Amino acid sequence: MPLHVPPAPAPALRSVLAALGSPTAVRDDHTPALRTLQGPVTAELPLPVHVLDRVIAGDRPPRTRLAGWRFLIRSGDRFVAAADTRLTPDGWAFSHFFEGPYVAATERALRQAESLSALGVSYQPRLLSVPELYMLTLWLHGAPGADPAAGLPDAADLLVPLAPAPPGIAAYRPHPFAELLPVMTHRLTPPALAGEAAA
């Protein structure tokens, strides 16, 4: 398998498992699928969630920051929800469960990434959020052994926008970071700044 899923911090996983065992957390209004499940559920495929900041044109390059870890929640043969964790002053803690289009989109993008094995390429999967565009991507980092909590995408790293993607950006189409960054920058640069850059 070309994907080298990094191990999540043990406290993050423990907090999700504890939440799965908590009737209060599972009965949240945002996760009706968890309320109606019969049988065991598991937390799988931990992915570090990074946020991309400073995407607009300017003197400062973009940067990423680790925002949390996301686990897909499996029931039987399908993923039904996801669980997010966040770093608190006391360490990693459960944040919330959710369901919806990004759960299925993440699973689809991961399966698509696994098909890259025919090319003999290995990646470390991460999630990269671009809040200004309301966009979430699967970030395929080309250094499988890298620290999953650090780093900016390399130029050749692939970003796979998840559905729903912003207008004009195709979901599930892998883009090298160096190719997608100018598209995101252009979409976020105010018209006055875009005109100055063109002058």
Side-chain angles (χ1 to χ4, degrees):
M1 186 166 100
L3 299 183
H4 294 267
V5 178
L13 176 57
R14 282 196 301 269
S15 73
V16 168
L17 295 177
L20 282 170
S22 163
T24 303
V26 170
R27 288 190 187 127
D28 187 281
D29 289 339
H30 302 293
T31 54
L34 288 179
R35 292 197 308 265
T36 59
L37 288 177
Q38 301 292 322
V41 293
T42 57
E44 301 178 10
L45 294 172
L47 298 170
V49 181
H50 293 259
V51 175
L52 185 66
D53 293 319
R54 294 194 218 158
V55 181
I56 62 170
D59 296 334
R60 298 184 301 172
R63 67 176 183 190
T64 61
R65 57 185 168 82
L66 181 67
W69 282 82
R70 178 167 295 169
F71 298 79
L72 295 184
I73 306 302
R74 180 187 293 277
S75 172
D77 61 353
R78 64 189 185 100
F79 292 110
V80 295
D84 276 357
T85 63
R86 60 188 171 84
L87 192 59
T88 70
D90 295 322
W92 288 101
F94 171 75
S95 175
H96 62 279
F97 290 117
F98 70 93
E99 51 190 75
Y102 281 134
V103 175
T106 302
E107 180 182 10
R108 176 177 168 178
L110 286 166
R111 286 186 178 161
Q112 179 181 341
E114 287 176 351
S115 69
L116 297 174
S117 61
L119 304 176
V121 181
S122 294
Y123 293 104
Q124 181 190 91
R126 304 173 176 191
L127 292 172
L128 185 66
S129 172
V130 186
E132 294 91 344
L133 288 175
Y134 301 98
M135 182 168 77
L136 184 65
T137 72
L138 177 64
W139 168 12
L140 299 174
H141 190 42
D147 177 357
L152 185 71
D154 293 331
D157 283 0
L158 297 179
L159 298 183
V160 183
L162 303 183
I169 297 177
Y172 306 116
R173 179 176 169 236
H175 299 267
F177 178 67
E179 174 188 302
L180 191 57
L181 181 61
V183 174
M184 295 187 292
T185 300
H186 178 73
R187 291 180 62 98
L188 290 172
T189 301
L193 291 178
E196 291 171 10

